[in-house]
Amino acid sequence: MTLEGIIFKLGLPLLVAVIGITVVLLGYVKAPPDEAVIISGIKKVPRIIRGRAAVMIPFFERKDKLTLKVIKIDVKTKESVPTQEFINVNVDAVVTVKISDAEDLLPIAAQNFLNRDEAYIQAIVGEVLEGNVREIVGTMTLESMISNRQEFALKVQQNAVPDMQKMGIEIVS
């Protein structure tokens, strides 16, 4: 067998191997534990990668990132809110939230916050939490809000959880 015959025989398998290695090198994606990488394109349902590696097909699939870090949100009522006794109060609160990494909530969060920065998430979630705080203040007396802050915080959290889950967010504290 001649040298040309050997190269011709090895040509196709070698070409396939080179293409395969190129796809793996260009398509290698590694997601840190505090970030979700969403790979979409070929399949109808995107793949969500957290804390592990995967291979995507370059030029046919794309990767997007979603932070799973804890975000601190200052919730302040813009206007005074009347309590149950019709006493106007201004409420300041700090809420810690994060994008939920639960299997059923992460796709919802991806639809709402994919490739968005932390400031955008803070603004949207802050407005929803402000509405929940205003709602709870209207059902409590001023004395009960001051004397039992834990009850106030618990009521706000219970009231806000369904709204947060609709956005794919979980309240940490």
Side-chain angles (χ1 to χ4, degrees), residues 77 80-93 132-156:
T77 55
S80 56
V81 182
T83 64
Q84 189 178 23
E85 306 154 321
F86 301 106
I87 299 172
N88 290 333
V89 295
N90 289 327
V91 179
D92 293 338
N132 285 297
V133 166
R134 294 174 68 84
E135 186 177 329
I136 296 303
V137 167
T139 64
M140 295 182 74
T141 64
L142 182 61
E143 182 182 344
S144 66
M145 281 193 310
I146 293 171
S147 64
N148 197 349
R149 292 179 185 216
Q150 291 290 40
E151 178 188 355
F152 176 72
L154 184 64
K155 282 186 175 182
V156 170

Side-chain angles (χ1 to χ4, degrees), residues 35-36 38 64-69 71 73 97-100 105-128 163-170:
E35 190 173 77
I38 292 87
D64 297 294
K65 297 182 179 183
L66 183 64
T67 182
L68 299 178
K69 293 179 182 175
I71 301 170
I73 299 175
V97 300
K98 68 184 269 322
I99 302 285
S100 178
L105 296 179
L106 192 53
I108 296 169
Q111 287 178 346
N112 293 321
F113 302 113
L114 195 62
N115 293 329
R116 297 292 187 158
D117 62 345
E118 195 172 301
Y120 177 82
I121 297 170
Q122 284 176 330
I124 298 296
V125 174
E127 288 179 18
V128 172
D163 293 338
M164 296 293 109
Q165 286 181 339
K166 289 177 186 173
M167 293 189 294
I169 303 283
E170 71 181 54

